[in-house]
Amino acid sequence: AYDDALTRLRETAGLDAEQTSAIDVLTVRVAREENLIERFKSRNALLQNSFAYFGLFSDKLAASDDRPLVTAASALAAAMLRLTLDTSSVAARQVQDRLEELAQLPAPPAEADTVRALLTHGQMLHDLLPEIDTILKALVADSNNREQDRMLAVILKRQLAARASARRTRLLQYITSLLLLCGIIYFGSLLRKRAVALRRRAAFEHVIVDISMLFINSSNERIAADVETALHQLAGWIGADRAYFCCMVGATRHTYRWSREGVKFPQGWPERALSLAPQLDGGDDGMVYIPKVNASHPHDTMNMLAKADVSGWLCIMAAYGNRDGILGFDAVHGGALTYWSEVSLFRMAFDAIGNAIRRARLESEKERLQASLQQARRMETIGSFASGIAHNFNNIVGAILGHAEMADARVPPGSRSAANLAEIRRAGERARELVGQILSFGRRGEGRRERVCLKMLVDETRSLLAASLPSHVGFEVSDTAETAVVLGEPAQLQQVILNLCNNAAQAMKQPGRIELGIRTRDLPQQLAVGRSQIGPGSFTVISVADSGPGMDQATLERIFEPFFTTRPDGNGLGLATVREIVEQHGGAITVQSEPGAGTRFEVWLPSGEPDEPVSVQQGPDQALRGAGETVLVLDADRGRLLRYEEILAALGYEPVGFTAVAEAVAACRAARARFDAALVCHLPGGSSLDLAAALHGAAPMMPIVLAAPSTRELAMPSLGTSGITELVHHPLTSAELAGALARCLASSPARATLRRVAAVTR
């Protein structure tokens, strides 16, 4: 039962260290007492058995005839009796002495076994009696109830603590019940307030939807009235006396206002609010809310609001850090603005108004672009028509120039007729240039693109310019990026540089200089260049600057318009062609100029990969610089012959001129390998085909380039029999002549040899 009680105590939940310790003490006491009792029981059984035998054997020895033995046995019995009453060490020693005396007496054989048995049980009684007495004393000593009392005290303490805890729990539950009741009442009021706020929010959102629907059908003409209506509706929800919307659309500021009757806007307001709003902390959502305007010091920004008669202010700025637009509400008479919980919804209103204004602007821009598109389509139709006329007109001009050349041979030099023919030729040449410009401008097809090294292109263009620029205009390449590479058509890119440089030269009536430079730029983001947006990426910038008279702003705005020119002899297609080519290559062009300060053009072209093979001229229509090839030139006019020789020398060829056909044929027969090609110009009074045939007979392997004012009467079979491989227009132009010579010498073995020699000697 004791063990069961301890087990139940241990199984009780929530025991602390003190209770566990008291139970452990009781458990140890129970184990100790059980051990003492077991020892007592076992020793007491032995004791009872030994007492029985000790008395039996003592009685036997008392009846013995051996008096000493009887005396010793009686003394032992007496000592044993004293030991049962006194288990002290003295009494035990006396018993031990009697046992030893009995053991030393000689015993008759008949009593020897009895003596031994008496000694054995006497010795056992000598050992057991003190031990049992000690056990009994220990049991008596443990018979008190201190541990039980301690355990009871711990249990009572726990009961008292449990009762106190129960009282606290009941009090806490009571307080909790009161708090729950208060919470239910409080949250009930919040729910009711929230329901009211939700109904008001729904009504406000319905107003915003109405405003958005209002703007759906709003036009550019009605946008101002619609915005004012929206401001009126929004101001009523926040108790504002004035409302306004300011924004920047492009470079134009748009302001829309509404105010209550009797409330006016001070001068400069709300325009000043557009610059004031960014000075105040609008947070991440870009909203500034000031229920009551109070300036704390003279330099406080609140003073600007106070000067505008603003007592309460709400301002919604454009999101994402853009401060180019605000939606503002002013309280003038009412003091603080109301309903702050709904202020966040005004962001939706701001977006609705801003989107409507932007949409109206886009529709206006769309109408403008549609008008421009219609104009562009009309111009395209006119351009196609003009290109068709230009092809036919080109043959007419060629005929005029050819007949003028022939007539000039029959007119005395210096006569009035010669002067008239010269004017006819100059007019014809201008007409041919105009036709060429029209054809170039109308040629919108995109040819084969390749990687072009601009440094090589500039070096080649320099030689072409050397023969065409006026003597009073200097040309200089200031800085050239060695690795500048672009993807494009070399002939078109060369035309860009030629047009810009020629345009600059024609603008300079006084001695001056044209400076060309090439550099590379890396754009991390988009950049506005001229009318285009380029980037990000790597770009090559070609700059052409001159020291001419410059241009005013009105001229700058129109220089790229087709057929616009400020020169009496200009056609207005040079710069238009330049911009057309640049934009077709994915680039952009810009110009900087001031009267008296010169002009600077910059052409931005997307860069190619510099580590890949590049070429300047690979196609058959591209101009190549010569490598010292010898070209025979045949022209009856000495002055014109010298000019053509200068052009060939500038292109890198070795010209040898002749004015007589017989001299040219004799030179070819004398050394057939001397000339790499021949240029036969128009000779008045004779057949150009016959002249070419005579040269072909003298040097059959020599390619011949024929310059004729018109090809209308030339047939292909006759060209082949005369040895003519290329045709160019007469009068000659550097670009056309260079291309013709490059094509006719492309397969010549002599040309390849000269190229190798030139490469070794450089």
Side-chain angles (χ1 to χ4, degrees):
Y2 209 104
D3 289 338
D4 292 341
L6 288 174
T7 301
R8 289 195 301 273
L9 282 174
R10 287 190 181 278
E11 293 175 352
T12 302
L15 294 178
D16 55 17
E18 184 180 8
Q19 294 168 352
T20 303
S21 176
I23 294 173
D24 292 340
V25 171
L26 285 176
T27 303
V28 171
R29 176 185 172 184
V30 169
R32 185 173 67 251
E33 289 184 351
E34 287 180 355
N35 183 39
L36 291 174
I37 291 172
E38 290 298 325
R39 289 175 58 194
F40 173 76
K41 287 164 62 179
S42 60
R43 299 300 186 273
N44 187 56
L46 292 174
L47 182 64
Q48 295 296 333
N49 184 59
S50 295
F51 265 125
Y53 283 107
F54 186 82
L56 177 62
F57 292 127
S58 295
D59 292 342
K60 285 183 179 182
L61 290 178
S64 177
D65 294 334
D66 189 348
R67 298 306 300 172
L69 186 59
V70 172
T71 302
S74 298
L76 177 59
M80 189 63 70
L81 180 61
R82 285 195 296 274
L83 184 59
T84 59
L85 301 176
D86 182 12
T87 58
S88 63
S89 59
V90 176
R93 183 61 191 171
Q94 289 178 357
V95 171
Q96 185 65 33
D97 291 343
R98 300 291 84 77
L99 288 172
E100 291 176 356
E101 290 176 358
L102 180 59
Q104 293 176 0
L105 291 177
E111 282 86 11
D113 292 335
T114 302
V115 172
R116 284 196 299 274
L118 181 63
L119 290 173
T120 300
H121 288 286
Q123 187 64 43
M124 292 180 64
L125 291 172
H126 171 270
D127 296 334
L128 290 171
L129 282 171
E131 183 179 357
I132 290 174
D133 189 54
T134 301
I135 292 173
L136 289 174
K137 289 180 180 178
L139 285 172
V140 172
D142 284 346
S143 62
N144 61 76
N145 294 325
R146 290 191 305 272
E147 289 79 0
Q148 290 90 333
D149 294 341
R150 181 182 175 189
M151 188 66 212
L152 287 174
V154 171
I155 292 173
L156 289 174
K157 180 180 178 181
R158 182 179 180 184
Q159 288 179 346
L160 293 175
R163 290 172 183 171
S165 177
R167 287 194 298 270
R168 289 194 300 271
T169 301
R170 286 194 297 272
L171 180 60
L172 181 61
Q173 290 176 346
Y174 178 73
I175 295 173
T176 303
S177 300
L178 292 176
L179 292 177
L180 287 175
L181 179 60
C182 295
I184 291 172
I185 296 172
Y186 173 72
F187 287 113
S189 63
L190 286 182
L191 287 175
R192 183 177 179 278
K193 184 178 179 181
R194 182 62 175 168
V196 173
L198 287 175
R199 286 196 297 270
R200 186 173 183 85
R201 181 186 180 95
F204 185 76
E205 290 178 349
H206 184 71
V207 171
I208 294 178
V209 171
D210 291 341
I211 292 174
S212 300
M213 295 296 293
L214 175 67
F215 288 131
I216 288 179
N217 298 321
S218 181
S219 62
N220 193 36
E221 294 77 14
R222 292 174 46 197
I223 189 66
D226 292 341
V227 172
E228 184 176 348
T229 301
L231 293 175
H232 182 192
Q233 295 178 358
L234 294 172
W237 283 86
I238 200 170
D241 299 309
R242 297 191 302 233
Y244 41 86
F245 187 89
C246 300
C247 64
M248 297 295 296
V249 180
T252 306
R253 181 175 60 196
H254 296 265
T255 304
Y256 305 89
R257 302 178 180 86
W258 171 88
S259 61
R260 295 186 187 277
E261 186 177 356
V263 178
K264 296 182 180 180
F265 282 92
Q267 186 177 4
W269 191 264
E271 288 76 10
R272 293 200 306 272
L274 194 61
S275 59
L276 172 63
Q279 301 178 24
L280 301 175
D281 184 14
D284 296 334
D285 55 357
M287 299 177 64
V288 178
Y289 175 66
I290 305 174
K292 190 69 175 178
V293 175
N294 291 312
S296 58
H297 56 81
H299 302 288
D300 193 352
T301 54
M302 296 293 181
N303 287 324
M304 294 182 64
L305 295 174
K307 291 179 181 179
D309 299 329
V310 178
S311 58
W313 196 46
L314 170 63
C315 178
I316 297 93
M317 292 177 282
Y320 312 112
N322 185 357
R323 298 297 185 259
D324 291 339
I326 61 168
L327 172 62
F329 299 90
D330 301 341
V332 179
H333 300 306
L337 298 176
T338 56
Y339 305 116
W340 165 242
S341 60
E342 299 169 3
V343 167
S344 58
L345 295 176
F346 281 85
R347 169 63 60 189
M348 300 169 59
F350 179 91
D351 294 337
I353 298 174
N355 291 334
I357 295 174
R358 285 191 294 272
R359 182 174 60 83
R361 176 179 176 272
L362 289 176
E363 289 179 354
S364 177
E365 183 68 15
K366 177 183 176 182
E367 294 175 358
R368 187 189 66 80
L369 291 176
Q370 286 178 343
S372 299
L373 179 60
Q374 294 297 329
Q375 178 67 17
R377 288 174 178 172
R378 288 194 294 269
M379 290 297 296
E380 183 178 3
T381 303
I382 294 174
S384 300
F385 182 67
S387 296
I389 295 176
H391 282 288
N392 296 324
F393 190 66
N394 196 32
N395 294 328
I396 298 174
V397 172
I400 293 173
L401 290 174
H403 288 293
E405 287 279 343
M406 290 186 291
D408 187 51
R410 297 179 175 87
V411 174
S415 64
R416 184 175 181 83
S417 298
N420 292 335
L421 289 175
E423 290 297 327
I424 291 174
R425 284 200 304 272
R426 280 194 289 271
E429 290 173 359
R430 285 184 57 194
R432 173 176 289 174
E433 291 177 2
L434 177 59
V435 169
Q437 291 283 0
I438 292 175
L439 292 176
S440 298
F441 184 72
R443 195 178 297 125
R444 297 181 181 272
E446 188 170 315
R448 185 171 60 89
R449 298 287 177 87
E450 58 188 63
R451 288 178 173 80
V452 181
C453 176
L454 288 181
K455 182 178 185 302
M456 297 172 61
L457 186 69
V458 169
D459 292 340
E460 186 172 298
T461 308
R462 190 204 304 250
S463 63
L464 298 178
L465 290 171
S468 60
L469 290 179
S471 59
H472 67 277
V473 177
F475 181 73
E476 178 183 350
V477 179
S478 59
D479 54 344
T480 303
E482 297 290 335
T483 60
V485 177
V486 298
L487 184 65
E489 292 186 70
Q492 290 190 359
L493 297 178
Q494 189 176 66
Q495 183 180 359
V496 168
I497 299 175
L498 287 172
N499 284 9
L500 290 176
C501 293
N502 287 328
N503 188 74
Q506 292 167 2
M508 289 187 289
K509 304 303 180 182
Q510 302 295 329
R513 184 182 61 180
I514 299 174
E515 186 175 332
L516 187 144
I518 299 175
R519 69 183 192 277
T520 57
R521 284 281 303 275
D522 291 327
L523 299 180
Q525 58 187 2
Q526 277 196 344
L527 177 67
V529 178
R531 68 175 184 179
S532 304
Q533 291 283 341
I534 60 173
S538 179
F539 286 81
T540 300
V541 184
I542 305 173
S543 62
V544 176
D546 63 69
S547 58
M551 295 176 283
D552 55 18
Q553 188 63 33
T555 305
L556 281 176
E557 293 176 356
R558 301 189 59 190
I559 58 172
F560 293 111
E561 292 182 9
F563 306 109
F564 173 77
T565 180
T566 58
R567 299 193 310 272
D569 57 345
N571 52 53
L573 289 175
L575 293 180
T577 304
V578 167
R579 184 166 70 175
E580 186 82 7
I581 294 173
V582 171
E583 291 182 351
Q584 286 180 359
H585 282 73
I589 184 171
T590 182
V591 58
Q592 299 174 356
S593 180
E594 291 182 4
T599 304
R600 178 183 178 88
F601 287 88
E602 287 191 350
V603 175
W604 293 65
L605 296 171
S607 297
E609 295 295 333
D611 54 347
E612 297 190 16
V614 298
S615 63
V616 178
Q617 297 179 350
Q618 299 292 337
D621 294 331
Q622 301 172 7
L624 281 176
R625 193 171 187 275
E629 297 92 335
T630 303
V631 179
L632 184 150
V633 186
L634 180 59
D635 195 307
D637 190 321
R638 172 63 64 179
R640 197 164 53 235
L641 178 64
L642 293 176
R643 182 157 55 90
Y644 293 162
E645 287 180 342
E646 291 178 357
I647 293 176
L648 287 171
L651 293 176
Y653 297 100
E654 182 69 27
V656 178
F658 296 93
T659 57
V661 179
E663 295 177 359
V665 171
C668 290
R669 289 176 178 173
R672 294 188 175 185
R674 177 184 177 186
F675 302 106
D676 297 290
L679 173 62
V680 177
C681 298
H682 178 69
L683 298 177
S687 174
S688 300
L689 295 179
D690 294 340
L691 300 177
L695 291 176
H696 181 62
M701 302 303 295
M702 180 178 65
I704 299 175
V705 178
L706 177 62
S710 176
T711 61
R712 182 175 55 184
E713 299 177 355
L714 298 177
M716 291 301 297
S718 60
L719 293 176
T721 57
S722 301
I724 296 173
T725 56
E726 288 287 338
L727 286 173
V728 295
H729 288 93
H730 188 276
L732 299 175
T733 60
S734 299
E736 186 180 14
L737 178 60
L741 288 174
R743 288 190 295 272
C744 70
L745 292 176
S747 59
S748 175
R751 177 180 176 85
T753 302
L754 284 174
R755 287 290 188 189
R756 290 194 296 269
V757 172
V760 172
T761 57
R762 280 174 184 161

